[in-house]
Amino acid sequence: MSRRALTLLLAGFLVLALGIVGAFRPVPYVVLSPGPTENTIGEVDKKPVISIKGRETYPTTGSLSLVTVAYQGGPAAQIDLLTALRGWIDPTVAVVPQETIFAPDRDPREVEEENSVEMTNSQDSATAAALNELKIRYDLAVTVVSTEKGKPADGKLRKGDEINSVDGRPAKDVDVVGDTVKAHKPGQSVLFNVTRGKDKLDVTVPTVAGPEGQTQVGLLMQAKYKFPFDVDINVGDVGGPSAGLMFSLGILDKLTPGELTGGKQIAGTGTIEPSGKVGAIGGIAQKMVGAQDAGATVFLTPADNCAEAVKAAPSGLRLVRADTMHDAVLALDALRTGKGNVPACDAG
Protein backbone atom coordinates (compact mmCIF):
# COMPACT_ATOMS: atom_id res chain seq x y z
CA MET A 1 0.00 0.00 0.00
CA SER A 2 1.36 3.39 -0.96
CA ARG A 3 2.12 6.05 1.63
CA ARG A 4 -0.67 8.22 0.16
CA ALA A 5 -3.27 5.47 0.42
CA LEU A 6 -2.15 4.64 3.98
CA THR A 7 -2.39 8.30 4.96
CA LEU A 8 -5.93 8.54 3.53
CA LEU A 9 -6.94 5.32 5.28
CA LEU A 10 -5.62 6.50 8.64
CA ALA A 11 -7.27 9.89 8.16
CA GLY A 12 -10.56 8.17 7.36
CA PHE A 13 -10.31 6.02 10.51
CA LEU A 14 -9.48 9.14 12.54
CA VAL A 15 -12.48 11.06 11.17
CA LEU A 16 -14.72 8.04 11.80
CA ALA A 17 -13.42 7.66 15.35
CA LEU A 18 -13.89 11.35 16.09
CA GLY A 19 -17.38 11.18 14.60
CA ILE A 20 -18.32 8.23 16.80
CA VAL A 21 -16.91 9.93 19.91
CA GLY A 22 -18.61 13.20 18.99
CA ALA A 23 -21.97 11.49 18.44
CA PHE A 24 -22.02 10.35 22.05
CA ARG A 25 -20.88 13.62 23.61
CA PRO A 26 -23.51 15.38 25.73
CA VAL A 27 -25.13 18.45 24.16
CA PRO A 28 -27.20 21.20 25.87
CA TYR A 29 -30.51 20.35 24.18
CA VAL A 30 -33.78 18.78 25.30
CA VAL A 31 -35.92 16.46 23.16
CA LEU A 32 -39.68 16.97 23.52
CA SER A 33 -41.95 14.12 22.42
CA PRO A 34 -45.62 13.13 22.82
CA GLY A 35 -46.26 12.06 26.40
CA PRO A 36 -49.00 9.92 27.93
CA THR A 37 -52.65 10.96 27.92
CA GLU A 38 -55.10 10.50 30.80
CA ASN A 39 -58.89 10.51 30.56
CA THR A 40 -60.05 12.90 33.29
CA ILE A 41 -63.41 11.12 33.51
CA GLY A 42 -61.71 7.73 33.53
CA GLU A 43 -59.30 5.88 35.81
CA VAL A 44 -55.57 5.64 36.48
CA ASP A 45 -54.33 2.45 38.16
CA LYS A 46 -57.96 1.44 38.80
CA LYS A 47 -58.64 4.70 40.65
CA PRO A 48 -60.81 7.51 39.28
CA VAL A 49 -58.79 10.46 38.00
CA ILE A 50 -61.44 12.73 39.53
CA SER A 51 -63.18 11.68 42.76
CA ILE A 52 -65.98 13.81 44.22
CA LYS A 53 -67.38 13.27 47.72
CA GLY A 54 -70.21 15.15 49.40
CA ARG A 55 -72.05 16.01 46.18
CA GLU A 56 -74.19 13.99 43.80
CA THR A 57 -72.36 12.84 40.66
CA TYR A 58 -73.57 11.40 37.36
CA PRO A 59 -72.34 8.74 34.90
CA THR A 60 -70.07 9.82 32.04
CA THR A 61 -69.06 8.32 28.69
CA GLY A 62 -66.40 9.02 26.09
CA SER A 63 -63.23 10.75 27.19
CA LEU A 64 -61.97 14.18 28.16
CA SER A 65 -58.25 13.52 27.99
CA LEU A 66 -55.40 15.68 29.18
CA VAL A 67 -52.23 15.45 27.12
CA THR A 68 -48.61 15.74 28.14
CA VAL A 69 -45.12 16.22 26.74
CA ALA A 70 -42.28 13.89 27.66
CA TYR A 71 -38.72 15.17 27.60
CA GLN A 72 -35.20 13.78 27.45
CA GLY A 73 -32.24 15.78 28.66
CA GLY A 74 -31.64 18.51 31.18
CA PRO A 75 -28.71 19.62 33.35
CA ALA A 76 -28.59 16.35 35.29
CA ALA A 77 -28.99 14.02 32.29
CA GLN A 78 -27.87 15.66 29.06
CA ILE A 79 -28.64 13.89 25.80
CA ASP A 80 -25.93 13.03 23.28
CA LEU A 81 -25.58 14.48 19.80
CA LEU A 82 -26.93 11.30 18.17
CA THR A 83 -30.17 11.55 20.17
CA ALA A 84 -30.51 15.21 19.20
CA LEU A 85 -29.96 14.35 15.51
CA ARG A 86 -32.64 11.66 15.63
CA GLY A 87 -34.99 14.22 17.17
CA TRP A 88 -34.30 16.76 14.45
CA ILE A 89 -35.23 14.15 11.84
CA ASP A 90 -38.45 13.00 13.58
CA PRO A 91 -41.36 15.38 12.74
CA THR A 92 -43.32 14.33 15.86
CA VAL A 93 -40.69 15.64 18.30
CA ALA A 94 -38.92 18.93 18.92
CA VAL A 95 -35.34 19.61 19.93
CA VAL A 96 -34.94 22.83 21.90
CA PRO A 97 -32.06 24.52 23.75
CA GLN A 98 -31.78 23.30 27.31
CA GLU A 99 -32.20 26.80 28.77
CA THR A 100 -35.72 27.11 27.31
CA ILE A 101 -36.84 24.37 29.71
CA PHE A 102 -34.33 24.73 32.54
CA ALA A 103 -33.41 28.34 33.31
CA PRO A 104 -29.63 28.48 33.91
CA ASP A 105 -30.04 30.41 37.17
CA ARG A 106 -32.62 28.01 38.62
CA ASP A 107 -31.96 24.99 40.82
CA PRO A 108 -33.64 21.93 39.22
CA ARG A 109 -35.15 21.11 42.62
CA GLU A 110 -36.80 24.55 42.71
CA VAL A 111 -38.19 23.94 39.22
CA GLU A 112 -39.56 20.55 40.34
CA GLU A 113 -41.17 22.12 43.41
CA GLU A 114 -42.66 24.87 41.25
CA ASN A 115 -44.09 22.33 38.79
CA SER A 116 -45.64 20.41 41.68
CA VAL A 117 -47.21 23.57 43.11
CA GLU A 118 -48.39 24.61 39.64
CA MET A 119 -50.14 21.26 39.23
CA THR A 120 -51.85 21.64 42.63
CA ASN A 121 -52.84 25.21 41.77
CA SER A 122 -54.10 23.99 38.40
CA GLN A 123 -56.30 21.36 40.02
CA ASP A 124 -57.73 23.85 42.51
CA SER A 125 -58.26 26.47 39.79
CA ALA A 126 -60.00 23.83 37.68
CA THR A 127 -62.34 22.98 40.54
CA ALA A 128 -63.01 26.68 41.13
CA ALA A 129 -63.68 27.24 37.41
CA ALA A 130 -66.12 24.32 37.30
CA LEU A 131 -67.94 25.58 40.39
CA ASN A 132 -68.07 29.10 38.96
CA GLU A 133 -69.57 27.69 35.76
CA LEU A 134 -72.20 25.95 37.90
CA LYS A 135 -72.62 29.02 40.16
CA ILE A 136 -71.61 27.10 43.29
CA ARG A 137 -69.98 29.32 45.93
CA TYR A 138 -66.67 28.65 47.71
CA ASP A 139 -63.98 30.48 49.73
CA LEU A 140 -60.22 30.74 49.25
CA ALA A 141 -57.02 32.14 50.74
CA VAL A 142 -53.73 32.83 48.89
CA THR A 143 -50.78 31.54 50.90
CA VAL A 144 -46.99 31.70 50.56
CA VAL A 145 -45.39 28.34 49.71
CA SER A 146 -41.79 29.56 49.58
CA THR A 147 -39.55 32.46 48.62
CA GLU A 148 -36.65 32.29 46.19
CA LYS A 149 -33.29 32.65 47.86
CA GLY A 150 -31.64 35.98 47.11
CA LYS A 151 -34.82 37.55 45.73
CA PRO A 152 -36.57 40.52 47.46
CA ALA A 153 -39.32 38.44 49.10
CA ASP A 154 -36.72 36.24 50.82
CA GLY A 155 -36.69 37.15 54.51
CA LYS A 156 -39.69 39.47 54.22
CA LEU A 157 -42.50 37.03 53.46
CA ARG A 158 -42.66 33.61 55.09
CA LYS A 159 -44.00 30.18 54.28
CA GLY A 160 -47.60 30.00 55.48
CA ASP A 161 -48.28 33.75 55.29
CA GLU A 162 -51.83 34.33 54.09
CA ILE A 163 -51.93 37.21 51.60
CA ASN A 164 -54.96 39.40 52.22
CA SER A 165 -54.20 42.14 49.70
CA VAL A 166 -51.47 43.51 47.46
CA ASP A 167 -51.24 47.29 46.98
CA GLY A 168 -54.67 47.46 48.60
CA ARG A 169 -56.19 45.11 46.02
CA PRO A 170 -57.91 42.06 47.62
CA ALA A 171 -56.00 38.85 46.88
CA LYS A 172 -58.91 37.01 45.30
CA ASP A 173 -56.60 34.45 43.70
CA VAL A 174 -52.95 33.78 42.82
CA ASP A 175 -53.30 35.51 39.44
CA VAL A 176 -54.46 38.76 41.04
CA VAL A 177 -51.32 38.85 43.20
CA GLY A 178 -49.03 37.92 40.30
CA ASP A 179 -50.59 40.41 37.88
CA THR A 180 -50.38 43.22 40.45
CA VAL A 181 -46.67 42.56 40.98
CA LYS A 182 -46.02 42.39 37.21
CA ALA A 183 -47.77 45.73 36.72
CA HIS A 184 -44.85 47.45 38.52
CA LYS A 185 -41.58 48.51 36.96
CA PRO A 186 -38.51 46.70 38.33
CA GLY A 187 -37.26 48.60 41.38
CA GLN A 188 -40.67 49.74 42.52
CA SER A 189 -42.09 48.33 45.75
CA VAL A 190 -45.22 46.28 46.39
CA LEU A 191 -47.24 46.48 49.61
CA PHE A 192 -48.45 43.12 50.89
CA ASN A 193 -50.94 42.80 53.71
CA VAL A 194 -50.60 39.34 55.24
CA THR A 195 -51.91 37.32 58.13
CA ARG A 196 -49.06 35.64 60.01
CA GLY A 197 -50.30 33.53 62.88
CA LYS A 198 -52.72 35.79 64.75
CA ASP A 199 -51.24 39.03 63.41
CA LYS A 200 -52.02 41.10 60.34
CA LEU A 201 -48.94 42.80 58.92
CA ASP A 202 -48.07 45.25 56.14
CA VAL A 203 -44.90 44.11 54.36
CA THR A 204 -43.22 46.26 51.71
CA VAL A 205 -41.24 44.27 49.14
CA PRO A 206 -39.11 45.78 46.34
CA THR A 207 -39.28 44.26 42.86
CA VAL A 208 -36.66 43.09 40.38
CA ALA A 209 -36.63 42.05 36.74
CA GLY A 210 -36.97 38.31 36.17
CA PRO A 211 -35.14 36.19 33.54
CA GLU A 212 -37.79 37.00 30.90
CA GLY A 213 -38.03 40.67 31.83
CA GLN A 214 -41.19 40.33 33.91
CA THR A 215 -41.26 42.11 37.24
CA GLN A 216 -41.08 39.74 40.20
CA VAL A 217 -40.36 39.49 43.92
CA GLY A 218 -39.34 35.81 44.03
CA LEU A 219 -42.51 34.42 45.56
CA LEU A 220 -44.16 31.02 45.10
CA MET A 221 -47.85 31.08 46.08
CA GLN A 222 -50.70 28.64 46.36
CA ALA A 223 -54.43 29.26 46.59
CA LYS A 224 -55.98 27.27 49.43
CA TYR A 225 -59.59 26.79 48.50
CA LYS A 226 -62.43 25.93 50.84
CA PHE A 227 -64.88 24.08 48.62
CA PRO A 228 -68.31 22.95 49.86
CA PHE A 229 -67.42 19.33 48.95
CA ASP A 230 -64.28 17.29 48.29
CA VAL A 231 -62.73 17.05 44.84
CA ASP A 232 -59.66 14.82 44.59
CA ILE A 233 -57.60 14.57 41.40
CA ASN A 234 -55.22 11.66 40.85
CA VAL A 235 -52.78 11.92 37.92
CA GLY A 236 -49.56 10.43 39.26
CA ASP A 237 -46.36 12.20 38.19
CA VAL A 238 -47.92 14.69 35.77
CA GLY A 239 -46.73 18.21 36.62
CA GLY A 240 -47.36 21.77 35.49
CA PRO A 241 -50.56 23.75 34.87
CA SER A 242 -51.48 22.82 31.29
CA ALA A 243 -54.16 20.23 32.18
CA GLY A 244 -56.37 22.82 33.89
CA LEU A 245 -59.03 23.07 31.17
CA MET A 246 -59.50 19.31 30.93
CA PHE A 247 -59.72 18.93 34.72
CA SER A 248 -62.42 21.60 34.87
CA LEU A 249 -64.45 19.94 32.12
CA GLY A 250 -64.10 16.54 33.78
CA ILE A 251 -65.33 17.93 37.10
CA LEU A 252 -68.28 19.66 35.44
CA ASP A 253 -69.20 16.51 33.50
CA LYS A 254 -69.32 14.48 36.73
CA LEU A 255 -71.40 17.11 38.53
CA THR A 256 -74.07 17.47 35.85
CA PRO A 257 -76.60 15.02 34.40
CA GLY A 258 -76.15 14.04 30.78
CA GLU A 259 -72.93 13.41 28.88
CA LEU A 260 -70.74 16.37 27.95
CA THR A 261 -68.81 14.39 25.33
CA GLY A 262 -71.75 12.64 23.68
CA GLY A 263 -69.56 9.53 23.79
CA LYS A 264 -66.83 11.14 21.67
CA GLN A 265 -63.10 10.91 22.32
CA ILE A 266 -62.17 14.49 23.21
CA ALA A 267 -58.70 15.69 24.16
CA GLY A 268 -57.34 19.14 24.86
CA THR A 269 -54.99 21.37 26.75
CA GLY A 270 -54.77 24.82 28.31
CA THR A 271 -54.21 26.45 31.66
CA ILE A 272 -57.33 27.55 33.52
CA GLU A 273 -58.09 30.48 35.77
CA PRO A 274 -60.89 30.37 38.36
CA SER A 275 -62.73 32.83 36.11
CA GLY A 276 -62.70 30.18 33.38
CA LYS A 277 -60.18 31.92 31.12
CA VAL A 278 -58.05 29.44 29.16
CA GLY A 279 -54.33 30.19 28.76
CA ALA A 280 -51.67 29.13 26.27
CA ILE A 281 -49.31 26.21 26.82
CA GLY A 282 -46.10 24.82 25.34
CA GLY A 283 -45.48 21.69 23.28
CA ILE A 284 -48.77 21.95 21.35
CA ALA A 285 -47.45 19.94 18.37
CA GLN A 286 -46.37 16.99 20.52
CA LYS A 287 -49.61 17.11 22.53
CA MET A 288 -51.74 16.88 19.39
CA VAL A 289 -49.80 13.82 18.21
CA GLY A 290 -50.29 12.21 21.62
CA ALA A 291 -54.01 13.02 21.52
CA GLN A 292 -54.51 11.42 18.12
CA ASP A 293 -52.44 8.37 19.11
CA ALA A 294 -54.84 7.95 22.06
CA GLY A 295 -57.85 7.94 19.71
CA ALA A 296 -59.06 11.53 20.06
CA THR A 297 -60.89 13.07 17.11
CA VAL A 298 -61.43 16.53 18.64
CA PHE A 299 -58.78 18.70 20.26
CA LEU A 300 -59.68 21.70 22.46
CA THR A 301 -57.05 24.35 21.79
CA PRO A 302 -56.26 27.58 23.66
CA ALA A 303 -56.91 30.58 21.40
CA ASP A 304 -53.30 31.78 21.70
CA ASN A 305 -52.02 28.39 20.48
CA CYS A 306 -54.34 28.18 17.47
CA ALA A 307 -52.01 29.60 14.83
CA GLU A 308 -49.21 27.20 15.78
CA ALA A 309 -51.64 24.28 16.14
CA VAL A 310 -53.14 24.74 12.67
CA LYS A 311 -49.69 24.42 11.09
CA ALA A 312 -48.80 21.25 13.00
CA ALA A 313 -52.17 19.46 13.40
CA PRO A 314 -52.19 15.77 12.41
CA SER A 315 -54.60 14.93 9.60
CA GLY A 316 -58.06 14.01 10.91
CA LEU A 317 -57.80 15.83 14.25
CA ARG A 318 -60.43 18.58 14.51
CA LEU A 319 -59.18 21.70 16.31
CA VAL A 320 -61.75 23.56 18.42
CA ARG A 321 -60.77 26.96 19.81
CA ALA A 322 -61.36 27.41 23.54
CA ASP A 323 -61.08 30.98 24.82
CA THR A 324 -62.83 30.13 28.10
CA MET A 325 -64.20 27.08 29.84
CA HIS A 326 -67.71 28.30 29.07
CA ASP A 327 -66.83 28.49 25.37
CA ALA A 328 -65.50 24.92 25.53
CA VAL A 329 -68.73 23.71 27.15
CA LEU A 330 -70.83 25.41 24.46
CA ALA A 331 -68.62 23.92 21.73
CA LEU A 332 -68.99 20.41 23.18
CA ASP A 333 -72.76 20.91 23.43
CA ALA A 334 -72.80 21.91 19.74
CA LEU A 335 -70.69 18.89 18.75
CA ARG A 336 -72.98 16.57 20.70
CA THR A 337 -76.29 17.96 19.47
CA GLY A 338 -75.30 19.15 16.01
CA LYS A 339 -76.77 22.54 16.86
CA GLY A 340 -74.89 25.77 17.51
CA ASN A 341 -71.46 27.14 16.66
CA VAL A 342 -68.23 25.16 17.03
CA PRO A 343 -65.40 27.73 16.95
CA ALA A 344 -62.48 26.52 14.87
CA CYS A 345 -58.83 27.45 15.09
CA ASP A 346 -57.47 29.53 12.22
CA ALA A 347 -53.95 30.29 11.08
CA GLY A 348 -54.08 33.80 12.56
Side-chain angles (χ1 to χ4, degrees), residues 52 55-61 250 252-259:
I52 299 174
R55 187 88 174 188
E56 184 177 7
T57 58
Y58 301 88
T60 60
T61 62
L252 182 140
D253 198 13
K254 290 200 164 198
L255 288 174
T256 52
E259 300 165 346

Side-chain angles (χ1 to χ4, degrees), residues 319-331:
L319 304 185
V320 175
R321 192 182 74 245
D323 298 74
T324 67
M325 178 189 176
H326 184 68
D327 291 336
V329 172
L330 292 179

Side-chain angles (χ1 to χ4, degrees), residues 220-241:
L220 185 59
M221 300 169 288
Q222 184 173 343
K224 289 195 174 180
Y225 290 83
K226 300 174 184 177
F227 297 121
F229 48 87
D230 293 332
V231 178
D232 182 61
I233 299 177
N234 164 45
V235 286
D237 295 332
V238 176

Side-chain angles (χ1 to χ4, degrees), residues 1-45:
M1 181 181 295
S2 69
R3 177 178 295 182
R4 178 183 176 82
L6 181 60
T7 300
L8 290 173
L9 181 61
L10 290 175
F13 277 124
L14 181 60
V15 169
L16 178 62
L18 290 174
I20 293 173
V21 171
F24 292 98
R25 288 184 61 83
V27 291
Y29 287 92
V30 174
V31 174
L32 306 179
S33 58
T37 65
E38 299 292 355
N39 179 13
T40 61
I41 51 176
E43 295 184 341
V44 173
D45 298 329

Side-chain angles (χ1 to χ4, degrees), residues 74-220:
Q78 286 189 322
I79 61 172
D80 56 43
L81 179 60
L82 190 60
T83 301
L85 289 172
R86 284 199 299 263
W88 275 313
I89 295 170
D90 189 341
T92 68
V93 307
V95 181
V96 299
Q98 181 176 285
E99 61 267 20
T100 63
I101 307 296
F102 300 92
D105 61 342
R106 298 292 304 280
D107 186 319
R109 288 172 297 182
E110 289 181 351
V111 174
E112 185 176 340
E113 179 188 27
E114 187 171 320
N115 284 339
S116 177
V117 171
E118 283 183 342
M119 173 54 84
T120 301
N121 284 342
S122 175
Q123 294 172 3
D124 287 340
S125 293
T127 303
L131 267 58
N132 285 333
E133 182 72 15
L134 296 171
K135 295 180 170 50
I136 299 173
R137 298 186 63 180
Y138 59 88
D139 297 315
L140 70 81
V142 177
T143 60
V144 175
V145 175
S146 64
T147 56
E148 193 174 341
K149 190 173 182 180
K151 292 294 175 66
D154 187 27
K156 289 183 174 289
L157 295 173
R158 300 179 186 174
K159 181 179 180 179
D161 282 352
E162 184 177 309
I163 301 174
N164 304 312
S165 66
V166 53
D167 285 344
R169 186 181 180 188
K172 293 182 178 180
D173 57 48
V174 170
D175 292 321
V176 167
V177 179
D179 290 344
T180 304
V181 171
K182 291 173 186 175
H184 290 72
K185 293 181 179 179
Q188 294 180 334
S189 293
V190 183
L191 178 63
F192 290 85
N193 180 267
V194 303
T195 298
R196 183 177 297 164
K198 296 181 179 180
D199 300 323
K200 285 193 174 183
L201 308 170
D202 284 332
V203 182
T204 300
V205 183
T207 62
V208 294
E212 297 179 0
Q214 291 183 326
T215 303
Q216 62 173 227
V217 295
L219 179 64
L220 185 59

